[in-house]
Structure formats: C-alpha cells, structure tokens
Amino acid sequence: MIPLEKIQKLDDYRYLIPRGTRPGMRTDALVYADAGLLEHIVKDLSLEQAVNVATLPGIVGRSLAMPDIHQGYGFPIGGVAATDWHDGVVSPGGVGFDINCGVRLLGTSLSQQDVRPRLRELVLQLFRDVPCGTGGQGHLKLSTAELDHLLVHGAQWMVEHGYGQGADAEFIESGGALEAADPAKVSDRAHQRGRPQVGTLGSGNHFLEVQFVQRIFDQEAAEALGLNPDQVVVLIHSGSRGLGHQVCTDYVKLMHGAMQKYGITLPDRQLACAPIQSPEGQDYLGAMAAAANYAWANRQGITHFTRRAIRRLFGEQTAVRVIYDVAHNIAKRERYQLEGEREPRDVLVHRKGATRAFPAGNPEIPARYRHVGQPVLIPGSMGTASFVLVGAEGAMRETFGSVCHGAGRMMSRTAAKKGRNAKEVQQALEEQGILVKSETRDGILEEVPEAYKDIDAVVEVVHNAGLAKKVARLRPMGVIKG
Amino acid sequence: MEAQIWQANIIPFRDSPSQLRYNQTVAARYEILEHPADVGLLARGTSLAELFENAAAGMMEIAVEPDGVTEHEQKRIVAEATDREALLVNFLQEVLWLVDGEGWLARRVAVTEISDTRVSATAFGEPRNPARHAMRLIIKAVTYHQLSVRQQSEGQQSEGWKAEVYFDI
C-alpha cells in the first residue's frame, strides 16, 4: 500500500507520488483524482502499479494515473506511460490483453419518443442480430487470407466487403487501421481464435447500449458532433476478442525470455517488456497493430448489424452514422514537445484503460470536428450514464494527449454478486426505464452500477483538470451483453 | 459473403440451477479469489501434479458448468517454462487454448509427467455444444498477477502445494 502521507496534493485534481518514494522509480507518478475518488483508489494496488510503471527503462515524463484507475496486471487500468521511441521499452501489459478494447458511438435520426414505444422490440432485435460470441462463433466465416487482409485494413476492409457505409472509417481513430500492422507477427493460434469471432461483442464488461442524449454541456461541440437533446444513440464497447488476447499472451511469454537478454529487471513480472528497437519489440508492435485493426473491424461489423436492426424496425430512411470510435487499450507512436527540450520527441504512448484526447486543431481529428477537438467516449456501466467529451489543451501538455476511459471497477465480481439476484437487478433497471438482455445471468449481476466508481465524479476531474471538456451526458435505454 | 442470420445462436437467458460457489472451498481443491476486475484461483494439491490438475479444474469451472461436460475424448497437453510459476501459467494457457481456439472443453486433466520446467498431461473432455454446455465466463487470458506456486513446509498443518493465479475476464 502506498501510505496516504506519501501522496502529495498538488491541487484539487492532481496528486503526486514523487520519484524517491520507492527505489527504482525513474520518474514521479501523477494521479488525477479528487479527494473522494482517491479514498477508494488507495484501497487496491493501483498506485503500487503506477509506481512500478515509473521504473520502466526509457520512460519519458511521468507515470500517469487517470481518475478511474484500478488494479490491473503490471500496469494499472487507467494508466498512461510514454517511452522514448529510440531507447525506451514497449510493454504489452501497458496495452492490455484486450488490445484496442474501445468504444464506438453511433448517432441516429431517432428520438427517445420514437424509440420508447418499441424499445423491447429493438432490444430483442439487436440481441438476435448482434452475436455476443459466448458460443464462440459470429456470423462471418473468413479464410486465413481474408483474415490477413482484415488485419491490415481494419474497419475499411469490412466496409469494402459490405459491412458498412462509405464514410464510416473516416470517423474512427486512425481511420480504423494502424499502418504498422503485420499479420505475419500474429501467431497461428491467434489467427485460429480470431477467424470465427469477427463481428462479435464479447462478454464481461462488453456491451451494446441504446441511449438517449440526456444533457448537453457544450452547444457548439454538440452541434459539430451531430448530437442533440433526446437523440437516440448507440454505444458499442468491444475489443479484439480471442485474437488480441492470444497476441498479448504470446508476446508476454516471448518478452519474459527477452528481458534477461537485454539486462532488464523489473519489480513486477507482468511489466515484461523489450526495447522498442529490438526484434521482439518491433514484432510485438506489428502484431499489436494487427490486433487493433481486428478490433476496429469488429466494431465495424457490429455497427453494420446494429444499423440493419434499427432500419428493420424504424425504416430504411433512418440515419445511423458513426460519430466516433476510440481505442482505450493501445500503444501509439506520437510526437510531443516536452518542457525544457528544444526538439519534439517521438515516444510510444501506452494507454491502458485510457483514451486519446487531442485538442482542437490537431490534424488527426476528422475535418468536421477539428475546430472543437477530438471526441472522447466514456462508457458508464448499465444503469448509470455515459459521456461524450472533446480533448483539450491540458491533455497535450500534461498527459500525452490522454484521459480516462470509463468509470473503473470498484467491487470484485464476487462481491457484486453477493446478496443480489439477477431478476431483481433486471427489474430495478426496468423500473428506471432500462431494459437489459444478457446471454448469461452473471452478465447482469457483475455489472451492477454499484460495482463501478461514480462516473460523474471521474468526468468532473478530467474536465476540471483541463484534460477534456464535457459535451453531453447519455443515459441508457436498452443494453445487450454476453 | 453476406452473412447468414440465423436464430440458433441465441443462448436462452437462464437462471443456472447450479451456482458457482464463490468464496467457498469446493472439496478444498480450489477456491475462487476476489479481485476488483478479474477472477483468481487458489488451488491446492498433495503433489505438484495434483496442484496443476486442480488448478485446471478450477479454471474450467470458472469458464463452464462442469456437470454438462463428458469425457468422450482425450487431448494431449504439453507445456514448458523456465520456472514453476511460469509453467503453471503456460499449462493453464494450453487448457484455455482448447476452449477458445479449438472449441473443446476439458472436464478433467490428468498429469502424466511433471518437473519444474515441463509438464505433460491428458485432458478428458469433449467439443463445446451450446445446447448442453452452460458457459459461464469468457476467460481472456491467464495472467502473472500475484502468481505463486508454493510448497507448504514440513511441520505445518497441511502439507502439500498451494498456487494462486488470476485470470483476465
């Protein structure tokens, strides 16, 4: 446990664990939180993990922790760490097992009033049309060659094969495909796990939620993004399924072997890493990019099935467009001008349970949104709220263009299930106007709102710390999960 | 390449009669551990071999209800590592691979040979069948988080082996 006395309050939203706190730390750890959230944060090992991350060779800037931080393996979830592209390391644990677990928001031309009378029908239709994949299989059957093309072209491959609309990929982070993808670095096993799972939602905390825009905070940004009050939107939270998990497993194993070769020792085995400029490091980045593309292709498939289900019920004229899609488990090569340095530096930004949040003017942002900033999608758990924000200048200055990714778990799955009954939970949600359809009983129990931190508090911190600005608050109407 | 939409992939929402008994020792072979985001296992065995067998059984029980799984088929499992802890992880990853990679469920695993760096075993089970097998949780991976494989020293009340391992779900 990091004792509270060792944590220095810098201001209402920033807490510092200075470099000397633990031997081996090459830099400080900085936590974005308010006093209330910090009280919970110190209860698990997340700060220990943030401190361990500060020992990574080649780390640039601080080890950063977002307000939704919770214990992961190696890296905390809600952690950000940048390493020097030339002499730093890459750590698969800094990306996570679910490579490019992320969120996509679809905007429709429907309003709450249009959908409420037919909500149950819509939820059932979506449950039928969007496979969760707990049975192992989706609707698409790809050959290995097709899968390899998909691993290179990501979302665009799906659009070109009939699973999307022309402009979809434009509104995805990185256009829905990372260039560095190398299918040859993805093992046979990962291929085998991935082939039958394209276009499936997954289980655990993955879900598809029909929501309505409850409140707008920033009128100009909302208009640019195409959000209006009472509008019905769909939030998709899903990742790279078995393929990504296998890639991470394969490379963590490989890097354990490599660490001795490169003379790296670390306080936590799960921080297994290799120099970025090493065969192991480059191979991992190639495989990771392929897995990231798989996840974007996956969310594209789900988008297609969702669009079709909505149009089936509400008519072919119903508009369903991609507002944006963000990754929250990924490592990206980016360039930053650091304080006190003359030239900008290339770094590898590890975002594990953290979302990119570029401010207005950044060329990576789709032209339509560039004047307001990059959309940031923050999913809540069932029964609470989700948020749309846009990146702000503070993120570029302080957090390598990053913010939180969600509300963060507080309660273990076993605790969430104690004394609760799935039917009761489902009924309680129905009374709030939220319909849930889950493939498993546990799917409902584990995701009770109490198991998560207060999302409004988490979002307030990033807003007040100047990392991102609130645009809209979304409330769930219907949820499907595995 | 238009996908065939069929309704057979709905696994009916069900209230499983056999509850996964969390935090309750099931014949002391293994127990489920608390973790904010994932699931852990504390496994025991009188020998290293038995420890590994019980760890596999515990992991499979997290993934699927054991009662529906028969032992019609056999598959060989081999794993290697530089040390005992990594060996347990690699071994469990092989069992997990069968589930997600080959659509095959192990009901029981019997270790045939084991050392600190290598294990070979036979898994008894059958291919996954949604009609008969109630899947519980998709285990994404076996992690090294708080991983331990320890032998209880002599003179302690219970001799034998204990292991702790966490899964990403």
Side-chain angles (χ1 to χ4, degrees), chain B residues 72-91:
Chain B
H72 283 340
E73 293 179 12
Q74 289 180 28
K75 283 195 188 268
R76 191 123 179 76
I77 292 178
V78 177
E80 288 182 328
T82 50
D83 60 81
R84 225 185 268 149
E85 275 95 1
L87 185 64
L88 178 62
V89 169
N90 293 352
F91 169 71

Side-chain angles (χ1 to χ4, degrees), chain A residues 215-343:
Chain A
R215 197 172 150 192
I216 296 208
F217 300 95
D218 184 329
Q219 191 54 45
E220 190 199 2
E223 262 173 47
L225 268 47
L227 288 169
N228 22 77
D230 270 342
Q231 177 188 14
V232 167
V233 297
V234 179
L235 197 74
I236 297 162
H237 179 213
S238 185
S240 52
R241 306 288 283 108
L243 187 141
H245 312 153
Q246 191 65 41
V247 166
C248 183
T249 294
D250 294 336
Y251 282 91
V252 167
K253 202 189 281 194
L254 180 72
M255 287 188 183
H256 272 139
M259 270 166 62
Q260 244 191 341
K261 192 192 336 176
Y262 297 112
I264 304 173
T265 51
L266 289 165
D268 182 346
R269 210 162 173 170
Q270 283 277 211
L271 284 172
C273 59
I276 292 169
Q277 302 305 333
S278 70
E280 293 88 349
Q282 290 295 304
D283 287 356
Y284 170 70
L285 287 172
M288 186 216 75
N293 296 352
Y294 181 92
W296 275 314
N298 208 37
R299 291 200 283 279
Q300 185 58 40
I302 295 169
T303 297
H304 175 74
F305 300 135
T306 301
R307 193 176 259 147
R308 207 165 45 179
I310 291 176
R311 287 180 175 160
R312 186 168 293 177
L313 256 63
F314 295 98
E316 286 303 312
Q317 307 311 320
T318 315
V320 181
R321 64 168 280 261
V322 178
I323 291 180
Y324 205 62
D325 178 315
V326 289
H328 55 232
N329 274 3
I330 202 158
K332 290 186 123 182
R333 180 182 182 176
E334 293 169 358
R335 196 163 247 242
Y336 290 89
Q337 177 67 58
L338 298 164
E339 217 180 293
E341 292 188 3
R342 245 177 307 145
E343 296 296 325

Side-chain angles (χ1 to χ4, degrees), chain A residues 377-438:
Chain A
L377 311 171
I378 308 291
S381 69
M382 301 181 314
T384 62
S386 300
F387 277 84
V388 180
L389 297 86
V390 283
E393 284 296 332
M396 281 317 252
R397 271 196 315 267
E398 297 179 38
T399 60
F400 295 100
S402 316
V403 291
C404 59
H405 79 305
R409 280 201 84 94
M410 241 184 7
M411 202 185 278
S412 72
R413 287 178 153 74
T414 51
K417 291 187 217 203
K418 265 191 202 138
R420 286 187 179 93
N421 169 293
K423 284 267 180 279
E424 286 168 2
V425 172
Q426 208 177 13
Q427 220 158 320
L429 288 167
E430 261 191 63
E431 281 160 21
Q432 290 180 58
I434 302 167
L435 292 185
V436 184
K437 192 98 181 79
S438 168

Side-chain angles (χ1 to χ4, degrees), chain A residues 443-465:
Chain A
I444 290 186
L445 281 177
E446 295 164 357
E447 302 301 311
V448 288
E450 300 84 74
Y452 286 84
K453 297 185 191 185
D454 178 354
I455 193 172
D456 292 271
V458 167
V459 168
E460 277 308 297
V461 170
V462 306
H463 179 93
N464 292 330

Side-chain angles (χ1 to χ4, degrees), chain A residues 90-143:
Chain A
V90 55
S91 177
V95 171
F97 280 102
D98 198 353
I99 296 170
N100 194 2
C101 180
V103 187
R104 181 178 290 207
L105 183 67
L106 307 176
T108 76
S109 51
L110 301 168
S111 72
Q112 213 195 140
Q113 290 72 26
D114 296 327
V115 173
R116 281 248 175 248
R118 302 183 72 188
L119 181 61
R120 192 170 296 272
E121 242 184 292
L122 178 61
V123 170
L124 287 175
Q125 187 70 53
L126 287 165
F127 193 69
R128 268 195 290 274
D129 290 352
V130 180
C132 289
T134 45
Q137 200 80 13
H139 298 320
L140 279 81
K141 300 205 179 335
L142 303 187
S143 67

